[in-house]
Amino acid sequence: MYENGFKTYSIIPFSAKQVVKNYTDTADTGSDYLFSITYLETEMYNYILDILYTQKAMEYTEPKTAEMLTKHNVEIANIESNNGGRSFARAVENQCRLMGNTKTKINWFFQSENKQARIFTNSASVQNICIFPDGWSKMWPEVYNALTSYMKVGNNAHDDAPDGLTGTI
């Protein structure tokens, strides 16, 4: 799908307009992955700061997501409310507040658009504006493999990473 690969950065350049955001796609079924991505949105690019990509249970993912939001001073966190995501969002917000994080605004929403169409139609934008840190293939090897092996047509074992990355667009 992502034929042109992904750009990387070693230093994030100054930007007059920047907001730290997060997009979280909770796991829909037992074999799905939770994909939570934190990024710095600027006028031109989305600089990827951190990713949580796991099949672990909510007892693990709720506090870990809250830790990531708190660590990066996330201002806006958008969490898909499909299939239990609403309760996940409330639990993450509670965890944030317990950690002293009153800055992060948690938005939960229902994603009704077709996932495959959304991934496909936004693939060029994803490659053009999502910039990963140097060495991201070693930082998040499962995410790297999920994105670089994702096929436009055919059977993909998982679409959680492409879907979550598309959510940043």
Side-chain angles (χ1 to χ4, degrees), residues 2-66:
Y2 305 109
E3 298 147 351
N4 297 329
F6 295 95
K7 298 174 190 170
T8 62
Y9 70 88
S10 57
I11 296 173
I12 298 174
F14 172 80
S15 175
K17 182 182 171 192
Q18 55 187 23
V19 179
V20 180
K21 292 184 173 182
N22 173 278
Y23 183 92
T24 299
D25 182 7
T26 60
D28 293 343
T29 66
S31 65
D32 282 350
Y33 285 78
L34 171 127
F35 183 85
S36 184
I37 184 166
T38 297
Y39 58 101
L40 178 67
E41 182 180 272
T42 70
E43 304 95 332
M44 296 178 61
Y45 299 109
N46 289 343
Y47 293 94
I48 311 306
L49 303 175
D50 207 349
I51 298 174
L52 176 60
Y53 186 65
T54 183
Q55 291 178 309
K56 292 183 179 178
M58 287 187 187
E59 293 80 16
Y60 175 84
T61 59
E62 289 169 354
K64 284 298 185 185
T65 302

Side-chain angles (χ1 to χ4, degrees), residues 148-160:
T148 58
S149 66
Y150 191 78
M151 306 288 286
K152 282 183 195 174
V153 179
N155 290 338
N156 292 293
H158 296 281
D159 56 12
D160 306 300

Side-chain angles (χ1 to χ4, degrees), residues 40-111:
L40 178 67
E41 182 180 272
T42 70
E43 304 95 332
M44 296 178 61
Y45 299 109
N46 289 343
Y47 293 94
I48 311 306
L49 303 175
D50 207 349
I51 298 174
L52 176 60
Y53 186 65
T54 183
Q55 291 178 309
K56 292 183 179 178
M58 287 187 187
E59 293 80 16
Y60 175 84
T61 59
E62 289 169 354
K64 284 298 185 185
T65 302
E67 282 177 23
M68 183 168 57
L69 299 177
T70 302
K71 174 184 173 185
H72 295 286
N73 294 309
V74 171
E75 295 173 56
I76 300 167
N78 296 308
I79 300 176
E80 281 191 21
S81 64
N82 308 27
N83 300 308
R86 185 175 173 199
S87 62
F88 178 87
R90 285 196 315 261
V92 168
E93 184 170 24
N94 288 340
Q95 289 284 325
C96 283
R97 302 308 175 246
L98 289 171
M99 292 176 189
N101 174 356
T102 57
K103 181 176 186 173
T104 304
K105 178 175 178 13
I106 307 284
N107 298 318
W108 51 269
F109 68 98
F110 181 75
Q111 180 60 267

